[in-house]
Amino acid sequence: MLLGIIGLFVCAFIFPNLYNAVWFVVLVLVTFLGLDILILYITKTGIQAERITPEKLSNGDLNPITLSIKNRYTFKISVKIIDEIPFQFQVRDFKIVKTIKASEQKEFGYDLRPTERGEYYFGYLNIYVSSPLKLVSRRFSFDKDKMVPTYPSYIQLRKYDLLAFSNNLYQYGIKKIRRIGHTMEFEQIKEYVQGDDLRTLNWKATAKKNALMVNQFQDEKSQSVYMAIDKGRVMQMPFDGLSLLDYAINSTLVLANVILKKQDKAGIFAFSKKVENRVFAEKRASQMQKILETLYNIKTDFFESDYSRLYVDIKKNINQRSLIILYTNFETMDGLNRQLPYLKGIAKSHLLVVVFFSNTELNSIINKKTDTIQEVYDKVIAEKFMFEKRLIANELKKYGIHSVLTQPENLTLDTINKYLEIKARGIL
């Protein structure tokens, strides 16, 4: 409008009769400008807004953030929303533009995906309001310095909550495991129905009831399961924004929940230069909350991990034979051979499962069509690293150590598979 008025003044220099008309246009513009300011600022609280966040954010998952805005004006308004998102996300172009009718309340939403645990501080929720004239915007600010903690992935925890008990486990990729023998605990005697194992017939009860009776067994309970998390240098590698350490922490939280639901005792500890963040294996009602808080507070400088300390600590503090699921990573056979004596020592007294990661970044190199000699060299080296991962799994198997070679995104599912397999086979 101002540029148009300047143009009219230039024309009035050529055509003097336009001069008074241009000043009339300026007067009209100033009048509407004053009117726009008046109707926007005459009300002290023109709008009411609130940022609704979860009590805590789930690390590595999309978390919904809701913005609720109520229009207290008696006319339709245009709003431009600029939320000051925590600096960890490095979002510098956040903007939502909407219109809200008179006296209407609307909700708008967006998602945030954190990639590290800790405290996330939101700044102001800034809302710029314009009337239908759209000559002036009035800024309103709400919810300054709101802190939301980011915990290990509790969204995954809910997703897999009933995984161990579902009749449709195959939908989640869970393998059907054939039970070997009867190493389960006796539960009850019940009447025979078609499909029951004839080897479990209880002849004494059959004679008393004059009907076929069978012994029913259940999985052994109250077995100790420890998740040991390597928080050393090898767990610093990032995949899809999350470090391997955070993938392991998220998986530990979900697996601990499944273990407790299966009536076993779940415990955790983390190690690098020393063993810390310990929660002893129990199955109390408060155990999941204790594990969640401990996982939230795991901090590390990614030092070189000391497996000798891990071996000594397990020897000293875990006296009962237990299942120990070790989250770590080995890239080469040399890296495994340095730690193999300690792993063999742990496996003598406990059932040890080593969970390590496949380098998915190498797949793009392996599957890429090669055109130059350099690309051929790169492809051969990538295939060598992938082959060496499989050699590591075979080397662990030679010494009776179970292993899970998995991609980071499949870690939770594969570790649950392994735990359920061990329970089904009764090898603990």
Side-chain angles (χ1 to χ4, degrees):
M1 289 184 181
L2 291 175
L3 288 174
I5 289 172
I6 292 172
L8 288 175
F9 271 119
V10 172
C11 292
F13 183 77
I14 302 171
F15 306 102
N17 294 333
L18 287 176
Y19 186 73
N20 292 329
V22 174
W23 274 111
F24 178 76
V25 172
V26 172
L27 181 62
V28 171
L29 176 62
V30 171
T31 302
F32 276 103
L33 180 64
L35 179 62
D36 202 9
I37 294 173
L38 180 65
I39 62 177
L40 280 178
Y41 284 87
I42 196 170
T43 304
K44 187 175 182 182
T45 55
I47 63 168
Q48 182 180 349
E50 181 185 11
R51 181 197 300 114
I52 304 170
T53 62
E55 184 180 346
K56 50 184 178 286
L57 300 179
S58 178
N59 194 23
D61 300 310
L62 290 176
N63 297 265
I65 309 296
T66 303
L67 305 176
S68 176
I69 303 175
K70 183 174 183 179
N71 180 11
R72 294 183 177 277
Y73 288 108
T74 57
F75 50 84
K76 184 172 75 172
I77 60 173
S78 300
V79 295
K80 181 169 71 172
I81 306 167
I82 300 178
D83 197 1
E84 296 178 1
I85 293 173
F87 71 89
Q88 289 95 332
F89 296 102
Q90 292 297 298
V91 176
R92 305 174 187 275
D93 57 351
F94 182 93
K95 183 172 68 172
I96 298 175
V97 179
K98 297 288 181 179
T99 58
I100 305 175
K101 295 178 181 178
S103 303
E104 182 185 21
Q105 181 165 348
K106 268 194 175 183
E107 290 187 348
F108 312 103
Y110 62 94
D111 295 321
L112 292 178
R113 182 180 180 267
T115 55
E116 58 184 64
R117 288 162 289 115
E119 297 180 343
Y120 284 64
Y121 286 90
F122 288 83
Y124 282 110
L125 171 59
N126 298 297
I127 301 176
Y128 294 84
V129 178
S130 300
S131 73
L133 296 175
K134 295 187 177 180
L135 297 175
V136 176
S137 289
R138 179 181 177 184
R139 186 181 72 175
F140 295 88
S141 298
F142 305 91
D143 290 349
K144 183 191 176 186
D145 294 338
K146 183 174 184 178
M147 191 279 287
V148 182
T150 296
Y151 276 75
S153 180
Y154 61 86
I155 290 180
Q156 283 190 37
L157 179 66
R158 295 169 185 166
K159 178 182 176 182
Y160 296 110
D161 196 19
L162 299 177
L163 189 60
F165 313 99
S166 172
N167 293 324
N168 300 314
L169 295 179
Y170 63 88
Q171 293 180 358
Y172 297 92
I174 299 298
K175 299 179 291 185
K176 291 184 177 180
I177 304 299
R178 181 172 63 91
R179 295 185 183 274
I180 300 176
H182 288 289
T183 58
M184 287 71 72
E185 294 179 343
F186 174 78
E187 183 180 14
Q188 64 177 350
I189 300 173
K190 70 178 187 70
E191 287 191 15
Y192 172 82
V193 294
Q194 189 174 1
D196 284 340
D197 191 348
L198 293 174
R199 293 173 297 177
T200 63
L201 281 170
N202 188 318
W203 294 109
K204 289 184 179 180
T206 298
K208 290 179 181 178
K209 291 277 291 183
N210 198 25
L212 288 176
M213 306 294 291
V214 293
N215 295 330
Q216 186 172 2
F217 298 89
Q218 62 182 359
D219 290 342
E220 295 179 14
K221 298 179 180 179
S222 298
Q223 294 177 310
S224 296
V225 182
Y226 281 93
M227 281 74 72
I229 302 172
D230 182 354
K231 56 179 187 178
R233 178 177 55 82
V234 296
M235 299 293 280
Q236 190 176 11
M237 186 181 297
F239 285 95
D240 195 21
L242 281 179
S243 67
L244 294 184
L245 175 62
D246 281 309
Y247 277 108
I249 288 172
N250 291 344
S251 173
T252 297
L253 181 66
V254 177
L255 184 57
N257 186 55
V258 173
I259 289 167
L260 293 171
K261 292 290 178 68
K262 296 285 282 185
Q263 301 300 313
D264 282 335
K265 295 184 285 188
I268 66 166
F269 55 87
F271 72 99
S272 57
K273 294 176 72 174
K274 59 181 180 178
V275 179
E276 50 195 355
N277 305 109
R278 189 193 311 278
V279 176
F280 284 102
E282 295 175 335
K283 57 176 183 178
R284 297 179 180 177
S286 61
Q287 189 74 351
M288 270 308 298
Q289 185 62 32
K290 189 185 296 184
I291 289 174
L292 177 62
E293 292 296 334
T294 303
L295 291 174
Y296 171 72
N297 289 307
I298 288 181
K299 295 180 175 61
T300 181
D301 293 324
F302 294 105
F303 292 111
E304 187 72 25
S305 298
D306 189 343
Y307 279 77
S308 62
R309 280 184 179 268
L310 174 67
Y311 168 70
V312 171
D313 187 271
I314 291 176
K315 190 85 172 174
K316 178 181 177 183
N317 293 303
I318 307 178
N319 300 320
Q320 179 185 2
R321 177 174 168 81
S322 306
L323 169 60
I324 297 177
I325 300 174
L326 173 61
Y327 293 93
T328 186
N329 197 32
F330 296 110
E331 290 293 338
T332 62
M333 284 295 297
D334 290 336
L336 172 67
N337 290 331
R338 285 197 297 270
Q339 315 301 346
L340 194 55
Y342 307 114
L343 299 178
K344 289 160 60 178
I346 296 170
K348 284 181 180 179
S349 305
H350 305 278
L351 182 61
L352 177 62
V353 177
V354 176
V355 181
F356 61 108
F357 297 89
S358 174
N359 193 336
T360 55
E361 299 296 324
L362 297 178
N363 291 334
S364 59
I365 300 176
I366 293 173
N367 298 325
K368 182 181 178 182
K369 184 180 178 181
T370 54
D371 297 320
T372 64
I373 296 295
Q374 181 62 46
E375 289 176 346
V376 173
Y377 289 155
D378 293 341
K379 186 172 183 176
V380 170
I381 295 299
E383 289 178 345
K384 174 182 177 296
F385 276 113
M386 295 293 281
F387 178 70
E388 201 152 2
K389 290 280 188 177
R390 296 192 290 272
L391 284 181
I392 290 171
N394 290 332
E395 186 72 13
L396 291 169
K397 188 177 180 180
K398 280 169 47 179
Y399 298 102
I401 301 172
H402 295 258
S403 64
V404 177
L405 175 58
T406 180
Q407 297 179 359
E409 61 268 24
N410 299 328
L411 174 63
T412 301
L413 201 57
D414 289 342
T415 50
I416 293 175
N417 271 337
K418 193 65 179 179
Y419 167 70
L420 295 179
E421 177 186 344
I422 289 170
K423 290 292 293 181
R425 294 189 182 278
I427 57 179
L428 177 55

